[in-house]
mmCIF file of all heavy atoms in Angstrom:
data_model
loop_
_atom_site.group_PDB
_atom_site.id
_atom_site.type_symbol
_atom_site.label_atom_id
_atom_site.label_comp_id
_atom_site.label_asym_id
_atom_site.label_seq_id
_atom_site.Cartn_x
_atom_site.Cartn_y
_atom_site.Cartn_z
ATOM 1 N N HIS A 42 -40.942 -94.425 69.887
ATOM 2 C CA HIS A 42 -41.357 -93.188 69.216
ATOM 3 C C HIS A 42 -42.866 -92.963 69.224
ATOM 4 O O HIS A 42 -43.407 -92.359 68.307
ATOM 5 C CB HIS A 42 -40.728 -93.018 67.832
ATOM 6 C CG HIS A 42 -41.099 -94.076 66.829
ATOM 7 N ND1 HIS A 42 -40.394 -95.229 66.691
ATOM 8 C CD2 HIS A 42 -42.097 -94.129 65.925
ATOM 9 C CE1 HIS A 42 -40.936 -95.959 65.730
ATOM 10 N NE2 HIS A 42 -41.977 -95.322 65.258
ATOM 11 N N GLY A 43 -43.501 -93.414 70.284
ATOM 12 C CA GLY A 43 -44.883 -92.980 70.507
ATOM 13 C C GLY A 43 -45.959 -93.859 69.915
ATOM 14 O O GLY A 43 -47.141 -93.603 70.124
ATOM 15 N N VAL A 44 -45.581 -94.906 69.174
ATOM 16 C CA VAL A 44 -46.574 -95.645 68.398
ATOM 17 C C VAL A 44 -47.147 -96.850 69.141
ATOM 18 O O VAL A 44 -48.333 -97.138 69.036
ATOM 19 C CB VAL A 44 -45.963 -96.090 67.046
ATOM 20 C CG1 VAL A 44 -46.939 -96.947 66.264
ATOM 21 C CG2 VAL A 44 -45.569 -94.869 66.226
ATOM 22 N N ARG A 58 -46.900 -90.894 76.974
ATOM 23 C CA ARG A 58 -45.849 -91.804 76.515
ATOM 24 C C ARG A 58 -44.563 -91.483 77.281
ATOM 25 O O ARG A 58 -43.992 -90.396 77.091
ATOM 26 C CB ARG A 58 -45.577 -91.601 75.028
ATOM 27 C CG ARG A 58 -46.765 -91.800 74.113
ATOM 28 C CD ARG A 58 -47.288 -93.186 74.156
ATOM 29 N NE ARG A 58 -47.961 -93.539 72.916
ATOM 30 C CZ ARG A 58 -49.031 -94.326 72.847
ATOM 31 N NH1 ARG A 58 -49.553 -94.831 73.956
ATOM 32 N NH2 ARG A 58 -49.562 -94.629 71.685
ATOM 33 N N LEU A 61 -41.715 -90.355 75.157
ATOM 34 C CA LEU A 61 -41.782 -89.044 74.489
ATOM 35 C C LEU A 61 -41.868 -87.899 75.485
ATOM 36 O O LEU A 61 -42.493 -86.881 75.226
ATOM 37 C CB LEU A 61 -42.977 -88.990 73.513
ATOM 38 C CG LEU A 61 -42.904 -89.901 72.299
ATOM 39 C CD1 LEU A 61 -44.017 -89.582 71.315
ATOM 40 C CD2 LEU A 61 -41.549 -89.778 71.592
ATOM 41 N N MET B 26 -33.755 -74.806 69.979
ATOM 42 C CA MET B 26 -35.092 -75.043 69.438
ATOM 43 C C MET B 26 -36.111 -74.984 70.559
ATOM 44 O O MET B 26 -35.857 -75.478 71.651
ATOM 45 C CB MET B 26 -35.176 -76.456 68.859
ATOM 46 C CG MET B 26 -34.856 -76.556 67.408
ATOM 47 S SD MET B 26 -35.467 -78.158 66.859
ATOM 48 C CE MET B 26 -34.099 -78.623 65.868
ATOM 49 N N PRO B 27 -37.294 -74.415 70.261
ATOM 50 C CA PRO B 27 -38.360 -74.504 71.252
ATOM 51 C C PRO B 27 -38.842 -75.949 71.375
ATOM 52 O O PRO B 27 -38.870 -76.686 70.393
ATOM 53 C CB PRO B 27 -39.474 -73.605 70.700
ATOM 54 C CG PRO B 27 -39.064 -73.160 69.350
ATOM 55 C CD PRO B 27 -37.717 -73.715 69.034
ATOM 56 N N LEU B 28 -39.219 -76.339 72.574
ATOM 57 C CA LEU B 28 -39.787 -77.664 72.849
ATOM 58 C C LEU B 28 -41.146 -77.424 73.487
ATOM 59 O O LEU B 28 -41.235 -76.766 74.521
ATOM 60 C CB LEU B 28 -38.865 -78.413 73.815
ATOM 61 C CG LEU B 28 -39.368 -79.727 74.393
ATOM 62 C CD1 LEU B 28 -39.427 -80.813 73.324
ATOM 63 C CD2 LEU B 28 -38.450 -80.198 75.532
ATOM 64 N N ALA B 29 -42.209 -77.927 72.850
ATOM 65 C CA ALA B 29 -43.545 -77.755 73.436
ATOM 66 C C ALA B 29 -43.967 -79.096 74.026
ATOM 67 O O ALA B 29 -43.522 -79.469 75.100
ATOM 68 C CB ALA B 29 -44.508 -77.228 72.382
ATOM 69 N N GLY B 30 -44.769 -79.884 73.313
ATOM 70 C CA GLY B 30 -45.182 -81.188 73.844
ATOM 71 C C GLY B 30 -44.154 -82.279 73.607
ATOM 72 O O GLY B 30 -44.200 -83.338 74.218
ATOM 73 N N GLY B 31 -43.248 -82.030 72.669
ATOM 74 C CA GLY B 31 -42.206 -83.013 72.372
ATOM 75 C C GLY B 31 -42.673 -84.202 71.547
ATOM 76 O O GLY B 31 -41.899 -85.106 71.261
ATOM 77 N N GLN B 32 -43.949 -84.202 71.118
ATOM 78 C CA GLN B 32 -44.493 -85.402 70.472
ATOM 79 C C GLN B 32 -44.029 -85.562 69.024
ATOM 80 O O GLN B 32 -44.169 -86.630 68.445
ATOM 81 C CB GLN B 32 -46.023 -85.415 70.553
ATOM 82 C CG GLN B 32 -46.552 -85.322 71.974
ATOM 83 C CD GLN B 32 -46.056 -86.453 72.862
ATOM 84 O OE1 GLN B 32 -46.429 -87.596 72.668
ATOM 85 N NE2 GLN B 32 -45.191 -86.150 73.830
ATOM 86 N N SER B 33 -43.476 -84.533 68.448
ATOM 87 C CA SER B 33 -42.816 -84.660 67.144
ATOM 88 C C SER B 33 -41.311 -84.479 67.277
ATOM 89 O O SER B 33 -40.533 -85.201 66.662
ATOM 90 C CB SER B 33 -43.343 -83.605 66.157
ATOM 91 O OG SER B 33 -44.675 -83.862 65.834
ATOM 92 N N LEU B 34 -40.919 -83.505 68.092
ATOM 93 C CA LEU B 34 -39.490 -83.188 68.177
ATOM 94 C C LEU B 34 -38.688 -84.327 68.817
ATOM 95 O O LEU B 34 -37.594 -84.665 68.334
ATOM 96 C CB LEU B 34 -39.292 -81.884 68.969
ATOM 97 C CG LEU B 34 -37.862 -81.347 69.040
ATOM 98 C CD1 LEU B 34 -37.254 -81.217 67.642
ATOM 99 C CD2 LEU B 34 -37.829 -79.996 69.750
ATOM 100 N N LEU B 35 -39.207 -84.940 69.881
ATOM 101 C CA LEU B 35 -38.412 -85.983 70.546
ATOM 102 C C LEU B 35 -38.206 -87.210 69.645
ATOM 103 O O LEU B 35 -37.086 -87.726 69.590
ATOM 104 C CB LEU B 35 -39.009 -86.338 71.917
ATOM 105 C CG LEU B 35 -38.966 -85.178 72.926
ATOM 106 C CD1 LEU B 35 -39.611 -85.572 74.250
ATOM 107 C CD2 LEU B 35 -37.534 -84.696 73.175
ATOM 108 N N PRO B 36 -39.253 -87.687 68.909
ATOM 109 C CA PRO B 36 -38.962 -88.768 67.959
ATOM 110 C C PRO B 36 -37.928 -88.355 66.907
ATOM 111 O O PRO B 36 -37.044 -89.143 66.562
ATOM 112 C CB PRO B 36 -40.309 -89.059 67.294
ATOM 113 C CG PRO B 36 -41.342 -88.480 68.189
ATOM 114 C CD PRO B 36 -40.686 -87.402 68.998
ATOM 115 N N ILE B 51 -41.077 -74.534 76.329
ATOM 116 C CA ILE B 51 -42.057 -73.445 76.355
ATOM 117 C C ILE B 51 -43.463 -73.973 76.631
ATOM 118 O O ILE B 51 -44.427 -73.211 76.632
ATOM 119 C CB ILE B 51 -42.066 -72.675 75.010
ATOM 120 C CG1 ILE B 51 -42.367 -73.639 73.842
ATOM 121 C CG2 ILE B 51 -40.727 -71.969 74.762
ATOM 122 C CD1 ILE B 51 -42.656 -72.925 72.527
ATOM 123 N N LEU B 57 -48.484 -68.807 76.485
ATOM 124 C CA LEU B 57 -48.857 -69.751 75.424
ATOM 125 C C LEU B 57 -49.995 -70.682 75.846
ATOM 126 O O LEU B 57 -50.483 -71.465 75.046
ATOM 127 C CB LEU B 57 -47.648 -70.606 75.011
ATOM 128 C CG LEU B 57 -46.706 -70.001 73.972
ATOM 129 C CD1 LEU B 57 -45.910 -68.850 74.540
ATOM 130 C CD2 LEU B 57 -45.782 -71.049 73.391
ATOM 131 N N ALA B 71 -50.703 -71.193 71.819
ATOM 132 C CA ALA B 71 -50.015 -72.194 71.001
ATOM 133 C C ALA B 71 -49.742 -73.475 71.781
ATOM 134 O O ALA B 71 -49.606 -74.539 71.195
ATOM 135 C CB ALA B 71 -48.707 -71.618 70.455
ATOM 136 N N ALA B 72 -49.665 -73.383 73.110
ATOM 137 C CA ALA B 72 -49.367 -74.578 73.900
ATOM 138 C C ALA B 72 -50.628 -75.243 74.465
ATOM 139 O O ALA B 72 -50.546 -76.072 75.368
ATOM 140 C CB ALA B 72 -48.385 -74.247 75.024
ATOM 141 N N HIS B 75 -53.885 -80.963 72.310
ATOM 142 C CA HIS B 75 -54.957 -81.591 71.525
ATOM 143 C C HIS B 75 -56.059 -82.082 72.465
ATOM 144 O O HIS B 75 -57.240 -81.963 72.161
ATOM 145 C CB HIS B 75 -54.413 -82.775 70.725
ATOM 146 C CG HIS B 75 -53.148 -82.500 69.967
ATOM 147 N ND1 HIS B 75 -52.882 -81.308 69.340
ATOM 148 C CD2 HIS B 75 -52.059 -83.275 69.728
ATOM 149 C CE1 HIS B 75 -51.695 -81.367 68.749
ATOM 150 N NE2 HIS B 75 -51.172 -82.553 68.978
ATOM 151 N N LYS B 97 -59.835 -87.451 66.892
ATOM 152 C CA LYS B 97 -59.278 -88.477 65.993
ATOM 153 C C LYS B 97 -57.820 -88.221 65.665
ATOM 154 O O LYS B 97 -57.275 -88.803 64.727
ATOM 155 C CB LYS B 97 -60.106 -88.513 64.701
ATOM 156 C CG LYS B 97 -61.522 -89.003 64.953
ATOM 157 C CD LYS B 97 -62.288 -89.134 63.644
ATOM 158 C CE LYS B 97 -63.780 -89.045 63.904
ATOM 159 N NZ LYS B 97 -64.482 -88.159 62.973
ATOM 160 N N LEU B 98 -57.175 -87.348 66.395
ATOM 161 C CA LEU B 98 -55.780 -87.021 66.128
ATOM 162 C C LEU B 98 -54.890 -87.886 67.024
ATOM 163 O O LEU B 98 -55.003 -87.834 68.248
ATOM 164 C CB LEU B 98 -55.560 -85.534 66.420
ATOM 165 C CG LEU B 98 -54.283 -84.852 65.978
ATOM 166 C CD1 LEU B 98 -54.478 -83.341 65.990
ATOM 167 C CD2 LEU B 98 -53.081 -85.226 66.789
ATOM 168 N N ALA B 99 -54.057 -88.697 66.438
ATOM 169 C CA ALA B 99 -53.127 -89.552 67.191
ATOM 170 C C ALA B 99 -53.879 -90.358 68.258
ATOM 171 O O ALA B 99 -54.999 -90.805 68.028
ATOM 172 C CB ALA B 99 -51.995 -88.732 67.809
ATOM 173 N N TYR B 100 -53.278 -90.527 69.439
ATOM 174 C CA TYR B 100 -53.860 -91.298 70.525
ATOM 175 C C TYR B 100 -53.932 -90.403 71.750
ATOM 176 O O TYR B 100 -53.178 -89.450 71.875
ATOM 177 C CB TYR B 100 -52.987 -92.520 70.831
ATOM 178 C CG TYR B 100 -52.563 -93.242 69.586
ATOM 179 C CD1 TYR B 100 -51.254 -93.157 69.115
ATOM 180 C CD2 TYR B 100 -53.487 -93.974 68.853
ATOM 181 C CE1 TYR B 100 -50.878 -93.788 67.949
ATOM 182 C CE2 TYR B 100 -53.116 -94.607 67.685
ATOM 183 C CZ TYR B 100 -51.819 -94.513 67.234
ATOM 184 O OH TYR B 100 -51.452 -95.122 66.072
ATOM 185 N N VAL B 103 -50.807 -89.256 73.352
ATOM 186 C CA VAL B 103 -50.066 -88.257 72.564
ATOM 187 C C VAL B 103 -50.804 -86.918 72.646
ATOM 188 O O VAL B 103 -50.188 -85.860 72.804
ATOM 189 C CB VAL B 103 -49.911 -88.735 71.099
ATOM 190 C CG1 VAL B 103 -49.335 -87.642 70.213
ATOM 191 C CG2 VAL B 103 -49.043 -89.991 71.033
ATOM 192 N N GLN B 106 -50.107 -84.432 75.544
ATOM 193 C CA GLN B 106 -48.887 -83.619 75.560
ATOM 194 C C GLN B 106 -48.744 -82.746 74.317
ATOM 195 O O GLN B 106 -48.220 -81.643 74.394
ATOM 196 C CB GLN B 106 -47.638 -84.518 75.701
ATOM 197 C CG GLN B 106 -47.632 -85.411 76.945
ATOM 198 C CD GLN B 106 -47.660 -84.622 78.251
ATOM 199 O OE1 GLN B 106 -47.215 -83.482 78.320
ATOM 200 N NE2 GLN B 106 -48.211 -85.234 79.298
ATOM 201 N N GLY B 107 -49.157 -83.243 73.156
ATOM 202 C CA GLY B 107 -48.943 -82.517 71.899
ATOM 203 C C GLY B 107 -49.764 -81.238 71.844
ATOM 204 O O GLY B 107 -50.888 -81.188 72.345
ATOM 205 N N THR B 108 -49.212 -80.202 71.227
ATOM 206 C CA THR B 108 -49.869 -78.894 71.203
ATOM 207 C C THR B 108 -50.206 -78.453 69.775
ATOM 208 O O THR B 108 -49.577 -78.885 68.808
ATOM 209 C CB THR B 108 -48.961 -77.814 71.828
ATOM 210 O OG1 THR B 108 -47.827 -77.606 70.966
ATOM 211 C CG2 THR B 108 -48.474 -78.232 73.216
ATOM 212 N N ILE B 109 -51.161 -77.554 69.689
ATOM 213 C CA ILE B 109 -51.594 -77.051 68.387
ATOM 214 C C ILE B 109 -50.469 -76.229 67.744
ATOM 215 O O ILE B 109 -50.236 -76.304 66.543
ATOM 216 C CB ILE B 109 -52.924 -76.269 68.520
ATOM 217 C CG1 ILE B 109 -53.456 -75.864 67.147
ATOM 218 C CG2 ILE B 109 -52.802 -75.063 69.442
ATOM 219 C CD1 ILE B 109 -54.896 -75.373 67.169
ATOM 220 N N GLY B 110 -49.735 -75.467 68.562
ATOM 221 C CA GLY B 110 -48.641 -74.655 68.020
ATOM 222 C C GLY B 110 -47.517 -75.535 67.489
ATOM 223 O O GLY B 110 -46.931 -75.248 66.438
ATOM 224 N N GLY B 111 -47.220 -76.618 68.218
ATOM 225 C CA GLY B 111 -46.182 -77.540 67.759
ATOM 226 C C GLY B 111 -46.562 -78.191 66.453
ATOM 227 O O GLY B 111 -45.728 -78.391 65.565
ATOM 228 N N SER B 112 -47.849 -78.501 66.306
ATOM 229 C CA SER B 112 -48.316 -79.138 65.080
ATOM 230 C C SER B 112 -48.154 -78.195 63.879
ATOM 231 O O SER B 112 -47.698 -78.613 62.810
ATOM 232 C CB SER B 112 -49.785 -79.534 65.260
ATOM 233 O OG SER B 112 -50.341 -79.940 64.043
ATOM 234 N N ALA B 114 -46.058 -75.552 63.715
ATOM 235 C CA ALA B 114 -44.628 -75.286 63.500
ATOM 236 C C ALA B 114 -43.960 -76.456 62.793
ATOM 237 O O ALA B 114 -43.036 -76.282 61.999
ATOM 238 C CB ALA B 114 -43.942 -75.003 64.838
ATOM 239 N N MET B 115 -44.434 -77.662 63.081
ATOM 240 C CA MET B 115 -43.888 -78.867 62.449
ATOM 241 C C MET B 115 -44.207 -78.901 60.961
ATOM 242 O O MET B 115 -43.415 -79.356 60.154
ATOM 243 C CB MET B 115 -44.526 -80.074 63.155
ATOM 244 C CG MET B 115 -43.833 -81.373 62.992
ATOM 245 S SD MET B 115 -42.191 -81.276 63.649
ATOM 246 C CE MET B 115 -41.371 -82.082 62.310
ATOM 247 N N ALA B 119 -49.341 -83.977 56.272
ATOM 248 C CA ALA B 119 -50.528 -84.791 56.542
ATOM 249 C C ALA B 119 -51.177 -84.455 57.880
ATOM 250 O O ALA B 119 -52.126 -85.121 58.282
ATOM 251 C CB ALA B 119 -50.152 -86.272 56.515
ATOM 252 N N ALA B 120 -50.689 -83.449 58.575
ATOM 253 C CA ALA B 120 -51.187 -83.163 59.927
ATOM 254 C C ALA B 120 -52.596 -82.567 59.889
ATOM 255 O O ALA B 120 -53.022 -81.995 58.885
ATOM 256 C CB ALA B 120 -50.244 -82.221 60.652
ATOM 257 N N ASP B 121 -53.299 -82.674 61.026
ATOM 258 C CA ASP B 121 -54.696 -82.264 61.093
ATOM 259 C C ASP B 121 -54.890 -80.765 61.332
ATOM 260 O O ASP B 121 -55.738 -80.142 60.697
ATOM 261 C CB ASP B 121 -55.406 -83.030 62.221
ATOM 262 C CG ASP B 121 -55.380 -84.531 62.003
ATOM 263 O OD1 ASP B 121 -54.271 -85.082 61.787
ATOM 264 O OD2 ASP B 121 -56.430 -85.158 62.039
ATOM 265 N N TRP B 122 -54.137 -80.180 62.286
ATOM 266 C CA TRP B 122 -54.411 -78.770 62.630
ATOM 267 C C TRP B 122 -54.125 -77.805 61.496
ATOM 268 O O TRP B 122 -54.879 -76.841 61.306
ATOM 269 C CB TRP B 122 -53.684 -78.341 63.908
ATOM 270 C CG TRP B 122 -54.223 -78.992 65.138
ATOM 271 C CD1 TRP B 122 -53.490 -79.603 66.118
ATOM 272 C CD2 TRP B 122 -55.592 -79.131 65.549
ATOM 273 N NE1 TRP B 122 -54.313 -80.117 67.087
ATOM 274 C CE2 TRP B 122 -55.613 -79.842 66.768
ATOM 275 C CE3 TRP B 122 -56.811 -78.742 64.995
ATOM 276 C CZ2 TRP B 122 -56.798 -80.160 67.444
ATOM 277 C CZ3 TRP B 122 -57.991 -79.061 65.666
ATOM 278 C CH2 TRP B 122 -57.962 -79.758 66.862
ATOM 279 N N PRO B 123 -53.057 -77.991 60.723
ATOM 280 C CA PRO B 123 -52.872 -77.040 59.617
ATOM 281 C C PRO B 123 -54.096 -76.985 58.696
ATOM 282 O O PRO B 123 -54.564 -75.895 58.356
ATOM 283 C CB PRO B 123 -51.626 -77.586 58.901
ATOM 284 C CG PRO B 123 -50.839 -78.236 60.000
ATOM 285 C CD PRO B 123 -51.884 -78.880 60.881
ATOM 286 N N LEU B 158 -41.285 -69.323 59.845
ATOM 287 C CA LEU B 158 -40.666 -68.997 61.142
ATOM 288 C C LEU B 158 -39.163 -68.926 60.965
ATOM 289 O O LEU B 158 -38.574 -69.790 60.320
ATOM 290 C CB LEU B 158 -40.979 -70.081 62.182
ATOM 291 C CG LEU B 158 -42.413 -70.194 62.705
ATOM 292 C CD1 LEU B 158 -42.557 -71.450 63.554
ATOM 293 C CD2 LEU B 158 -42.794 -68.958 63.506
ATOM 294 N N GLU B 162 -37.934 -67.363 66.683
ATOM 295 C CA GLU B 162 -39.351 -66.983 66.761
ATOM 296 C C GLU B 162 -40.178 -68.070 67.448
ATOM 297 O O GLU B 162 -39.877 -69.265 67.331
ATOM 298 C CB GLU B 162 -39.924 -66.734 65.365
ATOM 299 C CG GLU B 162 -39.530 -65.383 64.795
ATOM 300 C CD GLU B 162 -40.271 -65.065 63.502
ATOM 301 O OE1 GLU B 162 -40.487 -65.981 62.678
ATOM 302 O OE2 GLU B 162 -40.626 -63.892 63.305
ATOM 303 N N ILE B 163 -41.242 -67.640 68.120
ATOM 304 C CA ILE B 163 -42.142 -68.550 68.818
ATOM 305 C C ILE B 163 -43.578 -68.182 68.451
ATOM 306 O O ILE B 163 -43.950 -67.000 68.497
ATOM 307 C CB ILE B 163 -41.955 -68.433 70.353
ATOM 308 C CG1 ILE B 163 -40.583 -68.955 70.768
ATOM 309 C CG2 ILE B 163 -43.067 -69.167 71.104
ATOM 310 C CD1 ILE B 163 -40.280 -68.749 72.253
ATOM 311 N N ILE B 164 -44.372 -69.186 68.069
ATOM 312 C CA ILE B 164 -45.806 -68.940 67.880
ATOM 313 C C ILE B 164 -46.414 -68.802 69.268
ATOM 314 O O ILE B 164 -46.245 -69.687 70.115
ATOM 315 C CB ILE B 164 -46.500 -70.084 67.126
ATOM 316 C CG1 ILE B 164 -45.817 -70.360 65.783
ATOM 317 C CG2 ILE B 164 -47.988 -69.768 66.911
ATOM 318 C CD1 ILE B 164 -46.366 -71.577 65.050
ATOM 319 N N VAL B 165 -47.094 -67.692 69.505
ATOM 320 C CA VAL B 165 -47.683 -67.447 70.823
ATOM 321 C C VAL B 165 -49.133 -67.939 70.857
ATOM 322 O O VAL B 165 -49.570 -68.575 71.807
ATOM 323 C CB VAL B 165 -47.622 -65.952 71.179
ATOM 324 C CG1 VAL B 165 -48.285 -65.681 72.522
ATOM 325 C CG2 VAL B 165 -46.167 -65.489 71.198
ATOM 326 N N LYS B 182 -61.305 -88.657 56.985
ATOM 327 C CA LYS B 182 -59.885 -88.974 57.106
ATOM 328 C C LYS B 182 -59.708 -90.445 56.776
ATOM 329 O O LYS B 182 -60.473 -91.280 57.256
ATOM 330 C CB LYS B 182 -59.479 -88.700 58.556
ATOM 331 C CG LYS B 182 -58.007 -88.803 58.884
ATOM 332 C CD LYS B 182 -57.812 -88.266 60.308
ATOM 333 C CE LYS B 182 -56.414 -88.427 60.823
ATOM 334 N NZ LYS B 182 -56.253 -87.874 62.182
ATOM 335 N N MET B 184 -56.752 -93.309 57.056
ATOM 336 C CA MET B 184 -55.429 -93.572 57.607
ATOM 337 C C MET B 184 -55.225 -95.077 57.659
ATOM 338 O O MET B 184 -56.197 -95.839 57.626
ATOM 339 C CB MET B 184 -55.293 -92.932 58.992
ATOM 340 C CG MET B 184 -56.470 -93.216 59.900
ATOM 341 S SD MET B 184 -56.722 -91.933 61.134
ATOM 342 C CE MET B 184 -58.398 -92.332 61.669
ATOM 343 N N GLY B 188 -55.552 -93.346 64.456
ATOM 344 C CA GLY B 188 -54.554 -92.563 65.171
ATOM 345 C C GLY B 188 -53.266 -92.317 64.396
ATOM 346 O O GLY B 188 -52.435 -91.540 64.837
ATOM 347 N N ALA B 189 -53.113 -92.972 63.253
ATOM 348 C CA ALA B 189 -51.907 -92.705 62.455
ATOM 349 C C ALA B 189 -52.131 -91.426 61.639
ATOM 350 O O ALA B 189 -53.262 -90.984 61.460
ATOM 351 C CB ALA B 189 -51.615 -93.874 61.536
ATOM 352 N N PHE B 190 -51.049 -90.836 61.154
ATOM 353 C CA PHE B 190 -51.181 -89.681 60.271
ATOM 354 C C PHE B 190 -52.060 -90.046 59.079
ATOM 355 O O PHE B 190 -52.070 -91.191 58.626
ATOM 356 C CB PHE B 190 -49.809 -89.236 59.763
ATOM 357 C CG PHE B 190 -49.129 -88.255 60.675
ATOM 358 C CD1 PHE B 190 -48.133 -88.671 61.545
ATOM 359 C CD2 PHE B 190 -49.484 -86.919 60.673
ATOM 360 C CE1 PHE B 190 -47.501 -87.767 62.391
ATOM 361 C CE2 PHE B 190 -48.856 -86.005 61.512
ATOM 362 C CZ PHE B 190 -47.870 -86.431 62.370
ATOM 363 N N ALA B 191 -52.783 -89.051 58.567
ATOM 364 C CA ALA B 191 -53.722 -89.293 57.475
ATOM 365 C C ALA B 191 -52.997 -89.588 56.169
ATOM 366 O O ALA B 191 -51.940 -89.035 55.889
ATOM 367 C CB ALA B 191 -54.608 -88.064 57.285
HETATM 368 C C1 LIG C 301 -47.715 -91.732 67.488
HETATM 369 C C2 LIG C 301 -48.034 -90.362 67.000
HETATM 370 C C3 LIG C 301 -49.115 -90.173 66.141
HETATM 371 C C4 LIG C 301 -49.420 -88.912 65.659
HETATM 372 N N1 LIG C 301 -50.514 -88.774 64.850
HETATM 373 C C5 LIG C 301 -50.860 -87.542 64.405
HETATM 374 C C6 LIG C 301 -52.016 -87.354 63.591
HETATM 375 O O1 LIG C 301 -52.766 -88.282 63.280
HETATM 376 N N2 LIG C 301 -52.270 -86.096 63.156
HETATM 377 C C7 LIG C 301 -51.499 -85.040 63.500
HETATM 378 O O2 LIG C 301 -51.802 -83.930 63.092
HETATM 379 N N3 LIG C 301 -50.413 -85.177 64.279
HETATM 380 C C8 LIG C 301 -50.078 -86.402 64.738
HETATM 381 N N4 LIG C 301 -48.959 -86.533 65.530
HETATM 382 C C9 LIG C 301 -48.113 -85.351 65.825
HETATM 383 C C10 LIG C 301 -48.631 -84.595 67.032
HETATM 384 O O3 LIG C 301 -49.785 -83.891 66.662
HETATM 385 C C11 LIG C 301 -47.605 -83.631 67.636
HETATM 386 O O4 LIG C 301 -48.054 -83.376 68.923
HETATM 387 C C12 LIG C 301 -47.472 -82.257 67.025
HETATM 388 O O5 LIG C 301 -47.179 -82.407 65.682
HETATM 389 C C13 LIG C 301 -46.318 -81.493 67.645
HETATM 390 O O6 LIG C 301 -46.716 -80.764 68.761
HETATM 391 P P1 LIG C 301 -45.758 -80.706 70.031
HETATM 392 O O7 LIG C 301 -46.333 -79.731 70.960
HETATM 393 O O8 LIG C 301 -45.560 -82.068 70.547
HETATM 394 O O9 LIG C 301 -44.429 -80.098 69.408
HETATM 395 P P2 LIG C 301 -42.886 -80.444 69.639
HETATM 396 O O10 LIG C 301 -42.636 -81.861 69.282
HETATM 397 O O11 LIG C 301 -42.456 -79.986 70.968
HETATM 398 O O12 LIG C 301 -42.253 -79.497 68.534
HETATM 399 C C14 LIG C 301 -42.418 -79.735 67.151
HETATM 400 C C15 LIG C 301 -41.664 -78.657 66.357
HETATM 401 O O13 LIG C 301 -42.310 -77.402 66.496
HETATM 402 C C16 LIG C 301 -41.462 -76.440 67.130
HETATM 403 N N5 LIG C 301 -42.368 -75.712 68.021
HETATM 404 C C17 LIG C 301 -43.189 -76.236 68.986
HETATM 405 N N6 LIG C 301 -43.943 -75.269 69.533
HETATM 406 C C18 LIG C 301 -43.621 -74.108 68.903
HETATM 407 C C19 LIG C 301 -44.075 -72.763 69.020
HETATM 408 N N7 LIG C 301 -45.053 -72.401 69.875
HETATM 409 N N8 LIG C 301 -43.507 -71.813 68.221
HETATM 410 C C20 LIG C 301 -42.533 -72.159 67.334
HETATM 411 N N9 LIG C 301 -42.080 -73.414 67.177
HETATM 412 C C21 LIG C 301 -42.611 -74.375 67.945
HETATM 413 C C22 LIG C 301 -40.369 -77.241 67.785
HETATM 414 O O14 LIG C 301 -39.178 -76.508 67.876
HETATM 415 C C23 LIG C 301 -40.240 -78.423 66.846
HETATM 416 O O15 LIG C 301 -39.455 -78.084 65.749
HETATM 417 C C24 LIG C 301 -48.623 -87.792 66.031
HETATM 418 C C25 LIG C 301 -47.538 -87.970 66.902
HETATM 419 C C26 LIG C 301 -47.232 -89.235 67.377
HETATM 420 C C27 LIG C 301 -46.071 -89.414 68.295
#
Side-chain angles (χ1 to χ4, degrees):
Chain A
H42 63 271
V44 176
R58 302 297 206 215
L61 293 189
Chain B
M26 268 196 223
L28 171 70
Q32 303 301 292
S33 292
L34 185 53
L35 295 178
I51 57 169
L57 275 71
H75 312 322
K97 293 184 204 134
L98 192 163
Y100 314 106
V103 172
Q106 303 299 333
T108 68
I109 186 167
S112 170
M115 199 61 225
D121 299 53
W122 291 132
L158 290 171
E162 282 188 322
I163 293 175
I164 305 174
V165 178
K182 187 171 174 179
M184 47 207 164
F190 272 101

